[in-house]
Structures are given as C-alpha cells and as structure tokens.
Amino acid sequence: MRCEYLRVTVTYAQEGDTVYLLLLGGSKDSQQSDIAKACTLWQQVQNDTKEYPHDR
C-alpha cells in the first residue's frame, strides 16, 4: 500500500500489529523499479520472521 505526501512515496506493509515502513527515494521514471524493490524487501522480511519469529 502507498500514500503520497509532498511528492514522497512511502511504501508500507502491515503484519498483525507490526507496521513496516520502507522509505525510498525515486522519481516517476523509477517507480516500477522501486515497487519491485519494495516487494523483494517485503518478501525478505516475511522470510526472516518465519526463520526467526522471536527476533522482531
């Protein structure tokens, strides 16, 4: 999910009571690449929490 404020896009995801914020700089030209990076990082977070559930 994204919200735009002052031309800055904040990408975030929520899992249970935890909200993860991903702050990336970019432009409209790199928007698709930025979204792909955000998805990759979110997958890494999900894998890490499965592997180490008590380290959050």
Side-chain angles (χ1 to χ4, degrees):
M1 184 172 267
R2 296 174 309 162
C3 68
E4 292 190 27
Y5 180 71
L6 296 176
R7 297 185 184 182
V8 174
T9 300
V10 177
T11 304
Y12 66 95
Q14 183 172 353
E15 183 175 56
D17 292 334
T18 304
V19 176
Y20 298 88
L21 296 177
L22 177 61
L23 306 174
L24 290 172
S27 64
K28 282 288 187 188
D29 293 338
S30 67
Q31 186 175 21
Q32 291 303 316
S33 174
D34 295 340
I35 292 169
K37 287 178 191 177
C39 290
T40 299
L41 289 172
W42 175 238
Q43 288 173 344
Q44 289 175 355
V45 167
Q46 289 179 310
N47 290 337
D48 288 348
T49 57
K50 286 178 188 173
E51 192 172 341
Y52 306 103
H54 302 293
D55 288 350
R56 293 205 267 163

